[in-house]
């Protein structure tokens, strides 16, 4: 079974036994990172304030560093000369846009009103999470699930453009227009396209440019064989180091809010868990129905199920305040998303048996390009 260097194979397989300790017990390390972050944020005096103070342009510098370290190795693995085959796959691109910008926000809107009808602040925060489509951690979940790296790069870039253009409009629609038409309570958000564009630039533009330049210069100076067999294995583990660091920092920032309101956290977590499972399952079934190969179906599923927690938290804090219920809902997002999507990685690898075997790659052509 082929797997990415940053991934975790299903427990019990021969491949899993060959993995490093870090890879083999990835869910354990993620759980420990979450617990460590919560405890640090709760019990280390002044840590939360110190982390919040390290900010630039509304972006948390520690989280930005962790995400950049996490995303760079994965984007350096992308074969950018193959992106044309992804953009020509109209089924993948069209269904990704439908799932991300029509289905996803509508599903979260419905779940927010079903589960949190009596808690307007949490409900609004949950809807904001649904509007912030994933542009960061999805590259890790996709890589762990042996998804199509090139397809992930294209879909993430495409969703980023739509994020800048559509976030404010969809916020107005789902928080003001649609509730008003249905006779429900209305709220609103005021966030500029520039603020969203800044998030996209930091969390996608920088690592994408770095990955592209690294592959281009590396192959030009040393060749593809050296780049893929010598260089990539050296930087691969940093994706997981960055992921674990990001989780610790994120949960340290929000540890007090999470641990001081366990009942509220549980009420917010339930619709989020339903959302992640529902969006992932619907997308995988859709990929199988329209005859996408497993790798692209997995990419479709994880890009549809994931959310941009940093953007959701930033919008909620900026509009409603750091102690608001909307901000707490944004904080609970990654608390649920991280373990949920790690679990779905394993479900995805198990579900691969239900997809046709992929066609063999044109080895000779790749060798010629190398």
């Amino acid at each position: 079974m082929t797997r990415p260097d940053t991934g975790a194979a299903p427990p019990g397989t021969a491949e899993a036994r060959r993995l490093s300790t870090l890879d083999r017990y990835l869910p354990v390390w993620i759980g420990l990172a979450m617990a460590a972050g919560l405890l640090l944020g709760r019990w280390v005096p002044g840590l939360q304030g110190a982390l919040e103070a390290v900010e630039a342009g509304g972006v948390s510098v520690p989280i930005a560093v962790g995400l950049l370290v996490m995303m760079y190795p994965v984007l350096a693995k992308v074969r950018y000369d193959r992106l044309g085959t992804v953009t020509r796959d109209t089924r993948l691109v069209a269904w990704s846009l439908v799932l991300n910008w029509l289905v996803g926000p509508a599903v979260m809107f419905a779940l927010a009103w079903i589960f949190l009808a009596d808690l307007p602040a949490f409900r609004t925060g949950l809807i904001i999470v649904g509007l912030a489509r994933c542009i960061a951690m999805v590259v890790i979940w996709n890589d762990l699930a042996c998804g199509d790296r090139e397809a992930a790069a294209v879909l993430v870039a495409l969703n980023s453009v739509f994020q800048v253009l559509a976030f404010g409009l969809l916020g107005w629609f789902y928080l003001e227009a649609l509730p008003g038409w249905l006779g429900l309570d209305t709220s609103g958000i005021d966030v500029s396209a520039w603020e969203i564009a800044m998030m996209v630039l930091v969390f996608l533009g920088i690592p994408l440019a770095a990955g592209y330049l690294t592959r281009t210069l590396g192959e030009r100076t040393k060749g593809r064989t050296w780049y893929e067999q010598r260089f990539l294995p050296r930087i691969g583990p940093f994706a997981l180091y960055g992921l674990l660091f990001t989780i610790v920092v994120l949960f340290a920032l929000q540890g007090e809010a999470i641990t001081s309101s366990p009942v509220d956290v549980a009420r917010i977590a339930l619709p989020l868990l339903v959302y992640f499972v529902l969006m992932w399952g619907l997308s995988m079934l859709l990929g199988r129905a329209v005859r996408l190969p497993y790798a692209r179906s997995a990419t479709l599923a994880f890009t549809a199920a994931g959310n941009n927690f940093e953007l959701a938290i930033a919008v909620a804090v900026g509009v409603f305040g750091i102690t608001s219920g909307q901000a707490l809902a944004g904080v609970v997002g990654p608390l649920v998303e991280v373990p949920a999507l790690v679990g779905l990685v394993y479900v995805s690898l198990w579900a691969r048996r239900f997809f046709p075997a992929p066609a063999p790659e044109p080895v000779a052509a790749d060798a010629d390009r190398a």
Side-chain angles (χ1 to χ4, degrees):
M1 178 180 70
T2 302
R3 63 174 288 280
D5 296 331
T6 59
T13 65
E15 183 168 0
R17 290 191 292 271
R18 293 197 300 268
L19 299 180
S20 68
T21 302
L22 178 65
D23 286 340
R24 192 180 308 154
Y25 298 107
L26 177 61
V28 176
W29 307 138
I30 288 177
L32 290 175
M34 293 169 62
L38 290 173
L39 292 175
L40 287 171
R42 182 69 173 172
W43 300 112
V44 176
L47 177 62
Q48 183 175 344
L51 291 173
E52 290 174 351
V54 187
E55 181 182 286
V59 176
S60 169
V61 173
I63 290 179
V65 170
L67 288 174
L68 294 178
V69 173
M70 176 190 77
M71 294 177 67
Y72 166 68
V74 180
L75 292 172
K77 294 174 186 177
V78 172
R79 287 194 173 181
Y80 293 92
D81 55 348
R82 292 183 177 177
L83 295 186
T85 63
V86 178
T87 57
R88 289 193 295 270
D89 190 342
T90 55
R91 294 171 303 168
L92 176 68
V93 173
W95 280 115
S96 177
L97 292 177
V98 168
L99 288 167
N100 273 284
W101 299 104
L102 294 179
V103 178
V107 168
M108 190 68 91
F109 174 84
L111 291 174
W113 276 98
I114 291 170
F115 287 92
L116 300 171
D118 59 326
L119 297 170
F122 295 161
R123 186 181 65 236
T124 298
L126 208 64
I127 293 171
I128 293 174
V129 171
L131 300 178
R133 311 312 300 166
C134 192
I135 63 171
M137 278 193 178
V138 70
V139 297
I140 286 289
W141 312 136
N142 178 73
D143 220 38
L144 291 172
C146 299
D148 188 317
R149 288 181 185 134
E150 289 70 37
V154 169
L155 296 184
V156 165
L158 190 61
N159 281 325
S160 300
V161 174
F162 271 78
Q163 190 111 269
V164 175
L165 299 175
F167 187 90
L169 178 62
L170 288 175
W172 165 81
F173 179 77
Y174 281 106
L175 294 174
E176 295 185 42
L178 184 57
W181 298 341
L182 298 175
L184 304 173
D185 296 336
T186 62
S187 55
I189 58 173
D190 181 18
V191 58
S192 71
W194 167 248
E195 292 174 298
I196 299 170
M198 180 61 67
M199 294 282 180
V200 171
L201 175 64
V202 171
F203 297 124
L204 176 63
I206 293 175
L208 185 61
Y212 174 78
L213 290 174
T214 301
R215 178 172 278 278
T216 301
L217 296 176
E219 289 189 357
R220 185 176 299 169
T221 57
K222 294 284 191 175
R224 176 164 291 181
T225 300
W226 174 88
Y227 182 83
E228 296 195 341
Q229 296 182 8
R230 300 286 299 276
F231 179 73
L232 289 182
R234 293 177 182 175
I235 66 171
F238 285 93
L240 295 184
Y241 301 151
L243 172 64
L244 296 176
F245 173 80
T246 302
I247 292 171
V248 171
V249 172
L250 178 65
F251 282 77
L253 276 167
Q254 307 298 340
E256 184 173 355
I258 292 171
T259 56
S260 62
S261 307
V263 176
D264 292 341
V265 168
R267 288 204 59 181
I268 298 168
L270 181 57
L272 281 168
L273 182 60
V274 173
Y275 172 84
F276 293 131
V277 174
L278 185 61
M279 287 298 297
W280 181 90
L282 174 64
S283 303
M284 283 293 281
L285 290 173
L286 177 62
R288 182 68 177 83
V290 300
R291 300 185 179 181
L292 290 175
Y294 165 79
R296 291 194 175 179
S297 294
T299 300
L300 181 68
F302 283 100
T303 52
N307 291 90
N308 185 353
F309 62 83
E310 180 66 11
L311 175 59
I313 293 172
V315 170
V317 170
V319 175
F320 300 102
I322 195 168
T323 60
S324 65
Q326 291 88 343
L328 179 60
V331 168
V332 176
L335 173 70
V336 180
E337 179 175 344
V338 170
L341 292 190
V342 169
L344 289 174
V345 165
Y346 282 81
V347 177
S348 184
L349 291 169
W350 169 82
R352 182 163 49 176
R353 69 192 68 186
F354 300 107
F355 288 78
E361 293 186 6
V363 178
D366 285 347
D368 290 340
R369 285 199 300 270

